[in-house]
Amino acid sequence: MTTPGIPPLSAPAAELEDLDRKHLVRSMHRGDITDRLVIVKGQGSTVWDARGNELLDAAGGGVWHSPVGHGRADLAEVAAKQIKEIEFFTSLLEFTNEKAIRLAERLAQLAPAGINRVAFSSGGSEAVETAIKAARLYHTRKGSPDRTWILARHYSFHGATYGSGTATGFPPMQAGVGPNLPHVEKLSPPYPYRAKQLYGDVDPTDFLVKELEDTIERIGAGNIAAMIGEPIMAGGGVLAPPPGYWKRVREVLSKNGILLIADEVVTAFGRIGSWFESANQGMDADIITAAKGIAGGYAPLGATLMTDDIADTLIGDGGFFHGYTFQGHPVACALGLATLDIIEREGLLENARRIQGWFEEGLAPARELPNVGDVRIEGTLAALELVADKETTIPLDWSQVEAVAFETRKAHGVIARPYGHNFVLAPPLVFTEAEARRATAAVVEVVSRLRPDGTLAPR
């Protein structure tokens, strides 16, 4: 027996769930999470699981993703057409393909001024890996081989590969797999909600700039290749810096000959309401990494964008001995071009700004709840920082926030994401006002049932 609208399965849902437990190692896999949710269909901002449950995707495919929504027939046609023409051929050495060329041209047109060159990859981690290697090699080619250090920040997320994972500011990413990439230093993040704890009575931007200057002096400017940072820290809990923060950081880096890598894997392509958020923040980046929204989630695709000076330096004098098998994949790049067209044609940058307004209105009641320390909304990103007590601001445990996410899905059919002690929303850019109201109402209802000890009262 099948549920209307759900495609026939090759096996019952319970069998698929058991097979997953037996064979599959999944992203951030943990043995204590035994539930399985087999997603089999999507349409717009709605998905269905193998048991026939209809769920509102308020988390962008679960990972700040899926800007143009699920199940688009127009993108299926784009992929099919490209596959019929050529499904894949390498981008190695002299080989290339039209879709990669056209997408690189389009990205250069959309990117901040001065960013004209693109190296494709299969996702955000690879894009950051490329950026780190590019920054180090650039300095070597320019006669400064000692510039190997990378500055990153605590609570950042830059990926899970060797280099990108070391730059990530969450210790579990590095635990037990060392030695990690050498010469990576973590700085404090801009975190206005916890400013008193982190910076004392000092202005946050003054504190952070001074810390940066002191770190450069300690390591030595001539030893530092680049700093990497998200314009707005998504994984850290939607942490937007104070006005002027990035402009002052950029000035310090430029004075010391240090490159700036803007990690826009989450924030690019409309997530905050613009093509690239780094430009709005005054970062004036030398390198930009992008991924999640670039092909709508319809194929794995990432990109490392850079200046002509950096690109020409890398490919000269022996070349950039670096690359990935599926770099510039024709199908992924065709989908990337079509996704950018959809974002533009359907006015999704503007809708992202409307979603922000709907979230601000819908989540306003949460600000008064005893277990909500802060509510942060930037474009289509929203985070509720959950605490045991507003006065002490002691964070709830991750497991308690996971329970909130599970209950939101179970009681209301809404998928939102636990991220440390933050409960986050990041829906597709096609989210409607009715869907935003449903999602925010669900979140407020569940969080309102939190007890002082972090457990949930019955509905």
Side-chain angles (χ1 to χ4, degrees):
M1 183 175 179
T2 61
T3 301
I6 303 299
L9 301 176
S10 60
E15 182 180 345
L16 290 172
E17 293 161 4
D18 287 341
L19 287 170
D20 178 284
R21 296 184 188 98
K22 185 176 181 179
H23 295 295
L24 198 59
V25 177
R26 293 170 293 100
S27 177
M28 305 293 179
H29 200 140
R30 283 176 27 208
D32 62 316
I33 297 177
T34 57
D35 286 341
R36 295 294 184 270
L37 202 67
V38 184
I39 301 297
V40 297
K41 182 184 177 181
Q43 191 67 49
S45 298
T46 301
V47 296
W48 289 263
D49 69 16
R51 294 179 178 271
N53 297 306
E54 181 179 309
L55 303 164
L56 179 62
D57 176 14
V63 285
W64 332 86
H65 215 304
S66 306
V68 298
H70 304 288
R72 295 191 68 120
D74 49 359
L75 289 179
E77 292 170 4
V78 167
K81 182 175 184 293
Q82 182 59 49
I83 289 169
K84 290 176 183 177
E85 292 173 359
I86 178 67
E87 85 298 346
F88 171 73
F89 203 85
T90 184
S91 292
L92 177 68
L93 298 175
E94 76 271 31
F95 293 102
T96 185
N97 66 80
E98 181 184 4
K99 295 305 187 295
I101 295 166
R102 296 297 185 192
L103 182 56
E105 177 191 33
R106 185 77 184 282
L107 292 175
Q109 292 168 346
L110 296 173
I115 302 292
N116 296 311
R117 309 288 272 280
V118 182
F120 288 115
S121 56
S122 298
S125 294
E126 287 184 359
V128 170
E129 201 82 7
T130 298
I132 290 172
K133 292 174 73 174
R136 286 177 163 181
L137 181 59
Y138 170 80
H139 285 296
T140 295
R141 294 272 173 81
K142 288 289 189 178
S144 299
D146 293 334
R147 284 188 179 266
T148 56
W149 282 81
I150 302 295
L151 306 180
R153 297 178 299 174
H154 298 292
Y155 306 138
S156 63
F157 193 95
H158 297 300
T161 52
Y162 184 59
S164 68
T166 304
T168 288
F170 292 92
M173 185 62 72
Q174 297 101 33
V177 297
N180 291 284
L181 184 73
H183 294 183
V184 175
E185 181 78 4
K186 305 284 172 52
L187 300 165
S188 301
Y191 201 156
Y193 172 64
R194 297 188 178 274
K196 186 71 174 177
Q197 301 165 22
L198 292 172
Y199 324 122
D201 294 326
V202 181
D203 174 82
T205 301
D206 288 344
F207 179 97
L208 295 167
V209 171
K210 177 68 162 54
E211 181 189 46
L212 173 62
E213 291 172 333
D214 290 347
T215 301
I216 292 172
E217 183 177 359
R218 173 169 51 83
I219 296 174
N223 296 319
I224 302 172
M227 178 176 177
I228 184 170
E230 303 155 273
I232 293 170
M233 299 175 72
V238 191
L239 300 178
Y245 163 83
W246 273 119
K247 185 175 184 295
R248 289 182 61 186
V249 167
R250 171 78 262 190
E251 290 170 353
V252 172
L253 298 179
S254 296
K255 184 174 69 175
N256 290 281
I258 300 167
L259 300 179
L260 178 56
I261 303 167
D263 185 344
E264 294 232 44
V265 167
V266 172
T267 56
F269 309 117
R271 180 54 66 188
I272 310 298
S274 58
W275 288 112
F276 289 93
E277 178 62 19
S278 58
N280 295 332
Q281 294 289 339
M283 292 180 76
D284 191 21
D286 303 287
I287 300 173
I288 298 174
T289 58
K292 296 194 183 289
I294 194 172
Y298 286 77
L301 185 61
T304 305
L305 294 76
M306 62 192 78
T307 65
D308 287 324
D309 177 42
I310 292 174
D312 289 338
T313 302
L314 296 179
I315 64 179
D317 191 25
F320 190 24
F321 197 75
H322 171 79
Y324 305 106
T325 295
F326 294 117
Q327 185 166 343
H329 195 289
V331 179
C333 290
L335 288 164
L337 283 164
T339 296
L340 298 181
D341 285 343
I342 290 168
I343 292 172
E344 189 169 49
R345 183 173 66 248
E346 298 186 1
L348 297 186
L349 300 185
E350 293 78 11
N351 200 55
R353 294 189 281 272
R354 285 191 286 269
I355 292 169
Q356 176 169 345
W358 300 332
F359 276 180
E360 287 171 348
E361 182 179 350
L363 293 175
R367 297 182 184 277
E368 307 305 318
L369 298 176
N371 291 97
V372 178
D374 196 18
V375 178
R376 297 182 288 271
I377 302 167
E378 299 291 334
T380 64
L381 299 177
L384 279 68
E385 183 157 348
L386 301 183
V387 297
D389 179 80
K390 282 183 181 287
E391 294 299 318
T392 64
T393 70
I394 296 172
L396 291 188
D397 291 336
W398 194 321
S399 61
Q400 294 171 318
V401 184
E402 286 174 341
V404 171
F406 179 81
E407 176 67 7
T408 303
R409 175 166 53 84
K410 180 181 177 183
H412 297 281
V414 173
I415 299 173
R417 182 173 178 185
Y419 212 120
H421 59 283
N422 294 291
F423 191 37
V424 301
L425 301 170
L429 306 187
V430 296
F431 229 43
T432 66
E433 183 175 3
E435 290 169 335
R437 293 190 184 282
R438 175 185 166 192
T440 54
V443 168
V444 171
E445 192 283 320
V446 174
V447 174
S448 71
R449 289 193 273 124
L450 277 170
R451 300 185 178 104
D453 65 357
T455 60
L456 281 164
R459 192 177 181 192

